[in-house]
Structure formats: structure tokens, C-alpha cells
Short mmCIF file of all heavy atoms in Angstrom, two decimals:
data_model
loop_
_atom_site.label_atom_id
_atom_site.label_comp_id
_atom_site.label_asym_id
_atom_site.label_seq_id
_atom_site.Cartn_x
_atom_site.Cartn_y
_atom_site.Cartn_z
N MET A 241 -4.48 -20.11 -13.58
CA MET A 241 -5.00 -20.54 -12.29
C MET A 241 -6.55 -20.46 -12.27
O MET A 241 -7.18 -19.83 -13.11
CB MET A 241 -4.43 -19.69 -11.22
CG MET A 241 -4.86 -18.20 -11.23
SD MET A 241 -4.28 -17.33 -9.73
CE MET A 241 -5.24 -18.04 -8.45
N ILE A 242 -7.14 -21.14 -11.30
CA ILE A 242 -8.61 -21.08 -11.07
C ILE A 242 -8.92 -20.07 -9.99
O ILE A 242 -8.40 -20.15 -8.93
CB ILE A 242 -9.12 -22.50 -10.72
CG1 ILE A 242 -8.72 -23.54 -11.75
CG2 ILE A 242 -10.68 -22.44 -10.55
CD1 ILE A 242 -9.39 -23.39 -13.06
N CYS A 243 -9.77 -19.20 -10.29
CA CYS A 243 -10.23 -18.19 -9.28
C CYS A 243 -11.02 -18.88 -8.22
O CYS A 243 -12.03 -19.59 -8.44
CB CYS A 243 -11.01 -17.16 -9.94
SG CYS A 243 -11.81 -15.96 -8.83
N PRO A 244 -10.63 -18.72 -6.96
CA PRO A 244 -11.37 -19.36 -5.81
C PRO A 244 -12.76 -18.72 -5.60
O PRO A 244 -13.59 -19.30 -4.91
CB PRO A 244 -10.45 -19.06 -4.57
CG PRO A 244 -9.67 -17.92 -5.01
CD PRO A 244 -9.50 -17.90 -6.51
N SER A 245 -13.04 -17.54 -6.16
CA SER A 245 -14.26 -16.85 -5.95
C SER A 245 -15.33 -17.23 -7.04
O SER A 245 -16.44 -17.60 -6.65
CB SER A 245 -13.98 -15.39 -5.91
OG SER A 245 -15.24 -14.67 -5.72
N CYS A 246 -14.89 -17.16 -8.29
CA CYS A 246 -15.90 -17.44 -9.33
C CYS A 246 -15.56 -18.66 -10.11
O CYS A 246 -16.32 -19.03 -11.04
CB CYS A 246 -15.97 -16.22 -10.36
SG CYS A 246 -14.47 -15.89 -11.15
N HIS A 247 -14.50 -19.35 -9.73
CA HIS A 247 -14.07 -20.63 -10.30
C HIS A 247 -13.84 -20.57 -11.80
O HIS A 247 -13.91 -21.60 -12.52
CB HIS A 247 -15.15 -21.71 -9.99
CG HIS A 247 -15.25 -21.90 -8.50
ND1 HIS A 247 -14.33 -22.48 -7.75
CD2 HIS A 247 -16.30 -21.55 -7.72
CE1 HIS A 247 -14.70 -22.44 -6.40
NE2 HIS A 247 -15.91 -21.88 -6.39
N ALA A 248 -13.64 -19.45 -12.33
CA ALA A 248 -13.27 -19.32 -13.79
C ALA A 248 -11.81 -19.51 -13.93
O ALA A 248 -11.00 -19.20 -13.01
CB ALA A 248 -13.71 -17.96 -14.28
N GLU A 249 -11.39 -20.12 -15.06
CA GLU A 249 -10.02 -20.23 -15.36
C GLU A 249 -9.42 -18.88 -15.82
O GLU A 249 -9.86 -18.34 -16.84
CB GLU A 249 -9.77 -21.30 -16.41
CG GLU A 249 -8.39 -21.78 -16.45
CD GLU A 249 -8.13 -22.92 -17.35
OE1 GLU A 249 -9.03 -23.85 -17.36
OE2 GLU A 249 -7.15 -23.00 -18.05
N ILE A 250 -8.64 -18.26 -14.98
CA ILE A 250 -8.18 -16.93 -15.28
C ILE A 250 -6.67 -16.80 -15.25
O ILE A 250 -6.01 -17.64 -14.70
CB ILE A 250 -8.79 -15.91 -14.23
CG1 ILE A 250 -8.62 -16.39 -12.86
CG2 ILE A 250 -10.29 -15.64 -14.53
CD1 ILE A 250 -7.90 -15.55 -11.85
N ASP A 251 -6.24 -15.80 -15.93
CA ASP A 251 -4.88 -15.39 -15.85
C ASP A 251 -4.87 -14.20 -14.91
O ASP A 251 -5.12 -13.04 -15.43
CB ASP A 251 -4.33 -15.09 -17.27
CG ASP A 251 -2.84 -14.85 -17.26
OD1 ASP A 251 -2.20 -15.18 -16.24
OD2 ASP A 251 -2.34 -14.39 -18.29
N SER A 252 -4.59 -14.37 -13.68
CA SER A 252 -4.70 -13.27 -12.73
C SER A 252 -3.84 -12.06 -13.14
O SER A 252 -2.71 -12.23 -13.43
CB SER A 252 -4.32 -13.82 -11.32
OG SER A 252 -2.96 -14.03 -11.25
N SER A 253 -4.51 -10.94 -13.06
CA SER A 253 -3.76 -9.75 -13.31
C SER A 253 -2.91 -9.38 -12.05
O SER A 253 -3.44 -9.46 -11.00
CB SER A 253 -4.71 -8.57 -13.74
OG SER A 253 -5.67 -8.42 -12.72
N THR A 254 -1.76 -8.95 -12.31
CA THR A 254 -0.87 -8.65 -11.21
C THR A 254 -0.52 -7.19 -11.16
O THR A 254 -0.49 -6.54 -12.19
CB THR A 254 0.45 -9.53 -11.25
OG1 THR A 254 1.08 -9.20 -12.51
CG2 THR A 254 0.18 -10.93 -11.12
N GLU A 255 -0.35 -6.70 -9.97
CA GLU A 255 0.02 -5.31 -9.82
C GLU A 255 1.22 -5.27 -8.84
O GLU A 255 1.04 -5.75 -7.77
CB GLU A 255 -1.14 -4.59 -9.20
CG GLU A 255 -1.12 -3.09 -9.43
CD GLU A 255 -2.37 -2.43 -8.92
OE1 GLU A 255 -3.44 -3.06 -8.81
OE2 GLU A 255 -2.27 -1.28 -8.53
N THR A 256 2.33 -4.81 -9.30
CA THR A 256 3.50 -4.79 -8.43
C THR A 256 3.61 -3.44 -7.83
O THR A 256 3.66 -2.38 -8.46
CB THR A 256 4.79 -5.10 -9.28
OG1 THR A 256 4.50 -6.29 -10.02
CG2 THR A 256 5.98 -5.22 -8.36
N LYS A 257 3.66 -3.49 -6.47
CA LYS A 257 3.83 -2.21 -5.75
C LYS A 257 4.98 -2.38 -4.85
O LYS A 257 5.08 -3.36 -4.07
CB LYS A 257 2.53 -1.94 -4.93
CG LYS A 257 1.34 -1.52 -5.84
CD LYS A 257 0.15 -1.29 -4.87
CE LYS A 257 -1.15 -0.92 -5.69
NZ LYS A 257 -2.26 -0.78 -4.81
N PRO A 258 5.78 -1.41 -4.74
CA PRO A 258 6.89 -1.45 -3.71
C PRO A 258 6.29 -1.29 -2.29
O PRO A 258 5.38 -0.42 -2.14
CB PRO A 258 7.80 -0.35 -4.13
CG PRO A 258 6.95 0.65 -4.90
CD PRO A 258 5.92 -0.15 -5.57
N GLY A 259 6.68 -2.09 -1.38
CA GLY A 259 6.24 -1.92 -0.05
C GLY A 259 6.89 -0.73 0.67
O GLY A 259 7.74 -0.06 0.06
N LEU A 260 6.43 -0.43 1.84
CA LEU A 260 6.91 0.68 2.55
C LEU A 260 8.45 0.55 2.78
O LEU A 260 9.17 1.55 2.76
CB LEU A 260 6.21 0.75 3.91
CG LEU A 260 6.58 1.96 4.83
CD1 LEU A 260 6.21 3.29 4.15
CD2 LEU A 260 5.88 1.88 6.16
N ILE A 261 8.89 -0.70 3.03
CA ILE A 261 10.34 -0.93 3.25
C ILE A 261 11.12 -0.50 2.04
O ILE A 261 12.29 -0.01 2.20
CB ILE A 261 10.60 -2.36 3.62
CG1 ILE A 261 9.77 -2.82 4.85
CG2 ILE A 261 12.03 -2.67 3.76
CD1 ILE A 261 9.66 -4.25 5.09
N ALA A 262 10.59 -0.65 0.87
CA ALA A 262 11.27 -0.26 -0.30
C ALA A 262 11.56 1.25 -0.35
O ALA A 262 12.66 1.69 -0.76
CB ALA A 262 10.56 -0.64 -1.60
N TYR A 263 10.62 2.06 0.07
CA TYR A 263 10.81 3.44 0.15
C TYR A 263 11.83 3.85 1.18
O TYR A 263 12.68 4.68 1.00
CB TYR A 263 9.44 4.17 0.45
CG TYR A 263 8.48 4.12 -0.69
CD1 TYR A 263 7.33 3.33 -0.56
CD2 TYR A 263 8.74 4.80 -1.86
CE1 TYR A 263 6.41 3.27 -1.63
CE2 TYR A 263 7.83 4.71 -2.92
CZ TYR A 263 6.71 3.93 -2.78
OH TYR A 263 5.77 3.89 -3.82
N ILE A 264 11.73 3.19 2.38
CA ILE A 264 12.66 3.47 3.44
C ILE A 264 14.07 3.20 3.06
O ILE A 264 14.98 3.95 3.25
CB ILE A 264 12.19 2.75 4.72
CG1 ILE A 264 10.88 3.27 5.18
CG2 ILE A 264 13.26 2.89 5.80
CD1 ILE A 264 10.22 2.43 6.28
N SER A 265 14.29 1.93 2.50
CA SER A 265 15.55 1.56 2.16
C SER A 265 16.09 2.41 0.98
O SER A 265 17.34 2.73 0.95
CB SER A 265 15.59 0.00 1.73
OG SER A 265 14.71 -0.22 0.70
N GLY A 266 15.27 2.87 0.10
CA GLY A 266 15.61 3.70 -0.94
C GLY A 266 16.15 5.07 -0.44
O GLY A 266 17.12 5.65 -0.86
N PHE A 267 15.48 5.55 0.65
CA PHE A 267 15.87 6.75 1.27
C PHE A 267 17.22 6.63 2.01
O PHE A 267 18.07 7.48 1.84
CB PHE A 267 14.79 7.10 2.31
CG PHE A 267 15.04 8.46 3.00
CD1 PHE A 267 15.01 9.66 2.27
CD2 PHE A 267 15.37 8.47 4.34
CE1 PHE A 267 15.23 10.86 2.92
CE2 PHE A 267 15.59 9.69 5.04
CZ PHE A 267 15.54 10.91 4.29
N ILE A 268 17.39 5.50 2.64
CA ILE A 268 18.63 5.20 3.33
C ILE A 268 19.80 5.07 2.35
O ILE A 268 20.84 5.64 2.55
CB ILE A 268 18.53 3.91 4.20
CG1 ILE A 268 17.59 4.19 5.34
CG2 ILE A 268 19.95 3.48 4.73
CD1 ILE A 268 17.12 2.98 6.09
N ILE A 269 19.48 4.40 1.21
CA ILE A 269 20.47 4.20 0.17
C ILE A 269 20.93 5.57 -0.37
O ILE A 269 22.14 5.84 -0.58
CB ILE A 269 19.96 3.33 -0.98
CG1 ILE A 269 19.95 1.87 -0.44
CG2 ILE A 269 20.88 3.42 -2.25
CD1 ILE A 269 19.19 0.92 -1.33
N ALA A 270 19.92 6.46 -0.58
CA ALA A 270 20.22 7.82 -1.07
C ALA A 270 21.08 8.60 -0.07
O ALA A 270 21.98 9.36 -0.50
CB ALA A 270 18.89 8.56 -1.30
N LEU A 271 20.83 8.41 1.16
CA LEU A 271 21.66 9.01 2.19
C LEU A 271 23.07 8.53 2.25
O LEU A 271 24.07 9.30 2.42
CB LEU A 271 21.04 8.85 3.62
CG LEU A 271 19.75 9.75 3.91
CD1 LEU A 271 19.25 9.38 5.30
CD2 LEU A 271 20.10 11.21 3.83
N CYS A 272 23.21 7.18 2.16
CA CYS A 272 24.57 6.57 2.31
C CYS A 272 25.40 6.86 1.04
O CYS A 272 26.63 6.83 1.12
CB CYS A 272 24.40 5.06 2.46
SG CYS A 272 23.73 4.56 4.06
N GLY A 273 24.76 7.03 -0.07
CA GLY A 273 25.49 7.28 -1.27
C GLY A 273 25.87 5.99 -1.90
O GLY A 273 25.55 4.85 -1.47
N CYS A 274 26.67 6.07 -2.98
CA CYS A 274 26.96 4.85 -3.76
C CYS A 274 27.93 3.85 -3.17
O CYS A 274 27.86 2.72 -3.46
CB CYS A 274 27.52 5.26 -5.11
SG CYS A 274 26.18 5.77 -6.26
N TRP A 275 28.79 4.33 -2.25
CA TRP A 275 29.75 3.43 -1.73
C TRP A 275 29.26 2.17 -1.03
O TRP A 275 29.85 1.17 -1.08
CB TRP A 275 30.72 4.22 -0.79
CG TRP A 275 30.07 4.74 0.46
CD1 TRP A 275 29.37 5.90 0.62
CD2 TRP A 275 30.06 4.11 1.76
NE1 TRP A 275 28.93 6.03 1.85
CE2 TRP A 275 29.32 4.90 2.61
CE3 TRP A 275 30.54 2.92 2.26
CZ2 TRP A 275 29.07 4.60 3.93
CZ3 TRP A 275 30.34 2.57 3.60
CH2 TRP A 275 29.60 3.43 4.48
N CYS A 276 28.07 2.36 -0.32
CA CYS A 276 27.45 1.14 0.22
C CYS A 276 26.10 0.85 -0.40
O CYS A 276 25.57 -0.25 -0.24
CB CYS A 276 27.33 1.27 1.73
SG CYS A 276 26.09 2.49 2.21
N GLY A 277 25.55 1.85 -1.18
CA GLY A 277 24.24 1.69 -1.75
C GLY A 277 24.21 0.66 -2.86
O GLY A 277 23.27 -0.12 -2.99
N CYS A 278 25.23 0.62 -3.64
CA CYS A 278 25.18 -0.25 -4.86
C CYS A 278 25.07 -1.68 -4.53
O CYS A 278 24.44 -2.44 -5.25
CB CYS A 278 26.48 0.00 -5.62
SG CYS A 278 26.47 1.58 -6.46
N CYS A 279 25.65 -2.10 -3.46
CA CYS A 279 25.57 -3.57 -3.08
C CYS A 279 24.26 -3.89 -2.40
O CYS A 279 23.85 -5.08 -2.32
CB CYS A 279 26.79 -3.98 -2.22
SG CYS A 279 26.94 -3.06 -0.71
N LEU A 280 23.58 -2.91 -1.96
CA LEU A 280 22.32 -3.13 -1.21
C LEU A 280 21.14 -3.13 -2.13
O LEU A 280 20.12 -3.86 -1.85
CB LEU A 280 22.08 -2.07 -0.16
CG LEU A 280 22.97 -2.04 1.10
CD1 LEU A 280 22.71 -0.85 1.94
CD2 LEU A 280 22.79 -3.38 1.90
N ILE A 281 21.19 -2.41 -3.23
CA ILE A 281 20.04 -2.27 -4.13
C ILE A 281 19.47 -3.63 -4.62
O ILE A 281 18.32 -3.86 -4.53
CB ILE A 281 20.38 -1.34 -5.28
CG1 ILE A 281 20.56 0.09 -4.81
CG2 ILE A 281 19.32 -1.39 -6.36
CD1 ILE A 281 21.23 1.07 -5.80
N PRO A 282 20.29 -4.57 -5.17
CA PRO A 282 19.72 -5.81 -5.68
C PRO A 282 18.87 -6.58 -4.74
O PRO A 282 17.87 -7.08 -5.05
CB PRO A 282 20.93 -6.60 -6.20
CG PRO A 282 22.01 -5.56 -6.35
CD PRO A 282 21.75 -4.51 -5.31
N CYS A 283 19.39 -6.71 -3.48
CA CYS A 283 18.63 -7.59 -2.52
C CYS A 283 17.42 -6.84 -2.01
O CYS A 283 16.37 -7.43 -1.74
CB CYS A 283 19.56 -7.95 -1.37
SG CYS A 283 20.27 -6.62 -0.46
N CYS A 284 17.45 -5.50 -1.90
CA CYS A 284 16.35 -4.77 -1.39
C CYS A 284 15.17 -4.72 -2.36
O CYS A 284 14.02 -4.89 -1.97
CB CYS A 284 16.73 -3.36 -1.06
SG CYS A 284 17.72 -3.19 0.43
N VAL A 285 15.48 -4.57 -3.67
CA VAL A 285 14.45 -4.39 -4.65
C VAL A 285 13.53 -5.65 -4.67
O VAL A 285 12.31 -5.61 -4.61
CB VAL A 285 15.00 -4.06 -6.03
CG1 VAL A 285 13.93 -4.23 -7.11
CG2 VAL A 285 15.57 -2.65 -6.00
N ASP A 286 14.22 -6.82 -4.72
CA ASP A 286 13.42 -8.03 -4.86
C ASP A 286 12.57 -8.38 -3.60
O ASP A 286 11.43 -8.76 -3.65
CB ASP A 286 14.38 -9.22 -5.04
CG ASP A 286 14.52 -9.59 -6.56
OD1 ASP A 286 13.88 -8.88 -7.31
OD2 ASP A 286 15.22 -10.54 -6.89
N GLU A 287 13.21 -8.05 -2.43
CA GLU A 287 12.55 -8.41 -1.14
C GLU A 287 11.39 -7.38 -0.85
O GLU A 287 10.51 -7.74 -0.12
CB GLU A 287 13.51 -8.47 -0.02
CG GLU A 287 14.35 -9.73 -0.04
CD GLU A 287 15.33 -9.78 1.06
OE1 GLU A 287 15.13 -9.00 2.07
OE2 GLU A 287 16.29 -10.50 1.04
N CYS A 288 11.48 -6.23 -1.39
CA CYS A 288 10.52 -5.23 -0.95
C CYS A 288 9.28 -5.08 -1.91
O CYS A 288 8.36 -4.38 -1.57
CB CYS A 288 11.18 -3.91 -0.87
SG CYS A 288 12.47 -3.86 0.39
N MET A 289 9.38 -5.73 -3.04
CA MET A 289 8.26 -5.66 -3.96
C MET A 289 7.16 -6.61 -3.66
O MET A 289 7.46 -7.82 -3.54
CB MET A 289 8.77 -5.90 -5.41
CG MET A 289 9.77 -4.86 -5.88
SD MET A 289 9.16 -3.15 -5.85
CE MET A 289 8.54 -3.04 -7.51
N ASP A 290 5.98 -6.08 -3.50
CA ASP A 290 4.85 -6.94 -3.28
C ASP A 290 4.05 -7.09 -4.54
O ASP A 290 3.86 -6.07 -5.26
CB ASP A 290 3.91 -6.36 -2.23
CG ASP A 290 4.48 -6.42 -0.88
OD1 ASP A 290 5.38 -7.27 -0.61
OD2 ASP A 290 4.11 -5.56 -0.06
N VAL A 291 3.56 -8.28 -4.85
CA VAL A 291 2.79 -8.48 -6.12
C VAL A 291 1.33 -8.79 -5.70
O VAL A 291 1.03 -9.77 -5.07
CB VAL A 291 3.35 -9.61 -6.96
CG1 VAL A 291 2.52 -9.84 -8.22
CG2 VAL A 291 4.81 -9.40 -7.30
N HIS A 292 0.43 -7.90 -6.15
CA HIS A 292 -1.00 -8.05 -5.77
C HIS A 292 -1.70 -8.79 -6.97
O HIS A 292 -1.65 -8.34 -8.05
CB HIS A 292 -1.60 -6.77 -5.48
CG HIS A 292 -1.02 -5.97 -4.32
ND1 HIS A 292 -1.50 -6.07 -3.09
CD2 HIS A 292 0.10 -5.30 -4.26
CE1 HIS A 292 -0.77 -5.32 -2.26
NE2 HIS A 292 0.27 -4.87 -2.91
N HIS A 293 -2.40 -9.86 -6.64
CA HIS A 293 -3.13 -10.61 -7.68
C HIS A 293 -4.59 -10.31 -7.62
O HIS A 293 -5.24 -10.41 -6.49
CB HIS A 293 -2.84 -12.10 -7.49
CG HIS A 293 -1.48 -12.47 -7.89
ND1 HIS A 293 -1.17 -13.08 -9.07
CD2 HIS A 293 -0.34 -12.34 -7.15
CE1 HIS A 293 0.10 -13.32 -9.08
NE2 HIS A 293 0.70 -12.90 -7.94
N VAL A 294 -5.19 -10.02 -8.72
CA VAL A 294 -6.66 -9.71 -8.75
C VAL A 294 -7.32 -10.48 -9.86
O VAL A 294 -6.68 -10.58 -10.98
CB VAL A 294 -6.91 -8.18 -8.99
CG1 VAL A 294 -8.41 -7.89 -9.11
CG2 VAL A 294 -6.29 -7.34 -7.86
N CYS A 295 -8.47 -11.10 -9.66
CA CYS A 295 -9.18 -11.80 -10.73
C CYS A 295 -9.74 -10.79 -11.74
O CYS A 295 -10.53 -9.89 -11.30
CB CYS A 295 -10.30 -12.64 -10.06
SG CYS A 295 -11.37 -13.40 -11.35
N PRO A 296 -9.44 -10.97 -12.97
CA PRO A 296 -9.97 -9.99 -13.97
C PRO A 296 -11.47 -10.20 -14.26
O PRO A 296 -12.12 -9.36 -14.83
CB PRO A 296 -9.15 -10.24 -15.24
CG PRO A 296 -8.71 -11.71 -15.08
CD PRO A 296 -8.55 -11.93 -13.58
N ASN A 297 -11.96 -11.44 -13.89
CA ASN A 297 -13.33 -11.71 -14.18
C ASN A 297 -14.31 -11.19 -13.16
O ASN A 297 -15.25 -10.51 -13.51
CB ASN A 297 -13.48 -13.28 -14.20
CG ASN A 297 -14.74 -13.72 -14.83
OD1 ASN A 297 -15.27 -13.06 -15.77
ND2 ASN A 297 -15.29 -14.79 -14.43
N CYS A 298 -14.04 -11.44 -11.86
CA CYS A 298 -15.00 -11.01 -10.81
C CYS A 298 -14.36 -9.93 -9.87
O CYS A 298 -14.92 -9.54 -8.91
CB CYS A 298 -15.42 -12.17 -10.00
SG CYS A 298 -14.13 -13.01 -9.06
N LYS A 299 -13.12 -9.54 -10.16
CA LYS A 299 -12.42 -8.56 -9.46
C LYS A 299 -12.12 -8.90 -8.02
O LYS A 299 -11.87 -8.03 -7.17
CB LYS A 299 -13.23 -7.20 -9.43
CG LYS A 299 -13.69 -6.70 -10.83
CD LYS A 299 -12.52 -6.34 -11.66
CE LYS A 299 -12.97 -5.87 -13.02
NZ LYS A 299 -11.96 -5.81 -14.01
N ALA A 300 -12.11 -10.23 -7.70
CA ALA A 300 -11.84 -10.64 -6.39
C ALA A 300 -10.28 -10.50 -6.07
O ALA A 300 -9.47 -10.74 -7.00
CB ALA A 300 -12.20 -12.15 -6.22
N TYR A 301 -10.05 -10.06 -4.88
CA TYR A 301 -8.65 -9.94 -4.49
C TYR A 301 -8.10 -11.33 -4.10
O TYR A 301 -8.64 -11.97 -3.18
CB TYR A 301 -8.54 -8.96 -3.33
CG TYR A 301 -7.20 -8.65 -2.86
CD1 TYR A 301 -6.33 -7.92 -3.69
CD2 TYR A 301 -6.71 -9.05 -1.70
CE1 TYR A 301 -5.06 -7.59 -3.31
CE2 TYR A 301 -5.39 -8.81 -1.25
CZ TYR A 301 -4.56 -8.10 -2.06
OH TYR A 301 -3.26 -7.81 -1.65
N LEU A 302 -7.12 -11.80 -4.85
CA LEU A 302 -6.62 -13.20 -4.68
C LEU A 302 -5.53 -13.21 -3.64
O LEU A 302 -5.23 -14.29 -3.08
CB LEU A 302 -6.16 -13.73 -6.01
CG LEU A 302 -7.22 -13.71 -7.14
CD1 LEU A 302 -6.65 -14.27 -8.36
CD2 LEU A 302 -8.42 -14.61 -6.68
N GLY A 303 -4.80 -12.15 -3.42
CA GLY A 303 -3.80 -12.23 -2.43
C GLY A 303 -2.52 -11.51 -2.84
O GLY A 303 -2.44 -10.95 -3.91
N ARG A 304 -1.62 -11.41 -1.93
CA ARG A 304 -0.35 -10.68 -2.09
C ARG A 304 0.71 -11.75 -2.04
O ARG A 304 0.85 -12.50 -1.07
CB ARG A 304 -0.23 -9.68 -1.00
CG ARG A 304 0.96 -8.76 -1.35
CD ARG A 304 1.02 -7.75 -0.19
NE ARG A 304 1.52 -8.33 1.01
CZ ARG A 304 1.78 -7.71 2.15
NH1 ARG A 304 1.54 -6.45 2.19
NH2 ARG A 304 2.29 -8.36 3.22
N PHE A 305 1.57 -11.74 -3.02
CA PHE A 305 2.64 -12.74 -3.11
C PHE A 305 3.98 -12.00 -3.24
O PHE A 305 4.08 -11.02 -3.99
CB PHE A 305 2.50 -13.75 -4.21
CG PHE A 305 1.15 -14.49 -4.13
CD1 PHE A 305 0.09 -14.16 -4.88
CD2 PHE A 305 1.05 -15.56 -3.25
CE1 PHE A 305 -1.15 -14.74 -4.82
CE2 PHE A 305 -0.16 -16.25 -3.15
CZ PHE A 305 -1.23 -15.85 -3.91
N LYS A 306 4.91 -12.57 -2.67
CA LYS A 306 6.30 -12.11 -2.94
C LYS A 306 6.81 -12.84 -4.18
O LYS A 306 6.47 -14.03 -4.32
CB LYS A 306 7.27 -12.56 -1.79
CG LYS A 306 6.88 -11.85 -0.47
CD LYS A 306 7.30 -10.38 -0.49
CE LYS A 306 7.03 -9.80 0.97
NZ LYS A 306 7.36 -8.37 1.02
N ARG A 307 7.48 -12.15 -5.07
CA ARG A 307 7.94 -12.77 -6.25
C ARG A 307 8.96 -13.81 -5.90
O ARG A 307 9.85 -13.59 -5.09
CB ARG A 307 8.52 -11.78 -7.25
CG ARG A 307 7.45 -11.43 -8.24
CD ARG A 307 8.09 -10.64 -9.39
NE ARG A 307 8.63 -9.40 -8.95
CZ ARG A 307 8.79 -8.32 -9.79
NH1 ARG A 307 8.44 -8.42 -11.04
NH2 ARG A 307 9.27 -7.13 -9.32
ZN1 LIG B 611 -12.95 -14.53 -10.14
#
């Protein structure tokens, strides 16, 4: 992609961080146990992970995208 800040052709470095919801749902899943937790885990993990993109050249913050 092209960096909007320095216009260099970059391969943006990504940083995946779980959002707050991921922690909360993880806590709820732990409380509920496996009987209902197992079916919730796959949908929660994908929806709760935020991917932060940063330009490796000028360190500009490019944005946060859902995978
Ligand atoms: Zn840049």
C-alpha cells in the first residue's frame, strides 16, 4: 500500500490487539464454562480483534481495521 503521510510504498506493519470486548467475553466464557463457551469462542475472537496499521517508514498511524 501507499502511505498517505509520506507517500512511500510500504508494507504496513500490523499489530493485533484484542479489544476490551475480547477480555470481557473471555471472562464471561470462563464463568459459563465449556458447555456454552465452546460455541461462542470462534465468533468472539474474530470480531474482537483489532488490527492496528502503522507505517514503518514514517511511523504514521494508518488506522485500525477489523480483519
Ligand atoms: Zn509513511
Side-chain angles (χ1 to χ4, degrees):
M241 66 175 287
I242 304 293
C243 173
S245 181
C246 64
H247 302 287
E249 197 171 318
I250 47 124
D251 188 12
S252 70
S253 56
T254 56
E255 202 179 330
T256 307
K257 290 179 180 176
L260 182 62
I261 298 166
Y263 290 111
I264 294 169
S265 58
F267 183 67
I268 292 167
I269 288 166
L271 284 179
C272 290
C274 280
W275 64 275
C276 69
C278 290
C279 57
L280 289 173
I281 292 168
C283 60
C284 283
V285 168
D286 265 3
E287 282 180 20
C288 297
M289 297 300 269
D290 290 336
V291 181
H292 299 263
H293 290 258
V294 177
C295 173
N297 195 33
C298 65
K299 310 294 182 195
Y301 184 69
L302 301 177
R304 190 181 72 177
F305 302 99
K306 298 283 186 182
R307 262 195 294 207

